[in-house]
Amino acid sequence: MANWSVAKTWWDFSREILKFRLVDEDGEKILCGITQVAINDYFGTEDTQEAAEENFENNEDEIIAIASSLIQQGASDEDGLYLITSDILG
């Protein structure tokens, strides 16, 4: 299992997705994202971009672990994005 870290985060405002690029110790880069609704519902905060960013920063290791699970499953969408949604977080 790769040891992932977040290299960059940015917003896809049109889809309300906080995207992030993971990189492993070998330099492999993977594009991931989490929807604003999913992250804010999961952590029980108001549904704002600011809350989503704070949730991401405060819970980065947990979010990386969830994304890593999607990567291991090969569960990317047609654009190669490993997207964490409310359905995934259950």
Side-chain angles (χ1 to χ4, degrees), residues 4 7 21-24 26-32 71 80 82:
W4 298 105
R21 179 166 288 118
L22 293 181
V23 62
D24 71 6
D26 295 325
E28 181 181 5
K29 296 176 184 173
I30 302 285
L31 180 60
C32 302
I71 294 165
Y82 291 89

Side-chain angles (χ1 to χ4, degrees), residues 36-66:
Q36 179 178 314
V37 170
I39 194 170
N40 289 332
D41 284 354
Y42 187 71
F43 293 109
T45 59
E46 64 180 300
D47 188 24
T48 65
Q49 290 175 355
E50 294 79 14
E53 290 170 5
E54 187 173 316
N55 287 329
F56 189 91
E57 290 171 14
N58 292 338
N59 301 283
E60 189 173 295
D61 290 342
E62 184 174 356
I63 294 165
I64 290 172
I66 295 165

Side-chain angles (χ1 to χ4, degrees), residues 61-80:
D61 290 342
E62 184 174 356
I63 294 165
I64 290 172
I66 295 165
S68 180
S69 175
L70 292 177
I71 294 165
Q72 289 177 6
Q73 296 170 36
S76 65
D77 67 11
E78 62 277 359
D79 297 323

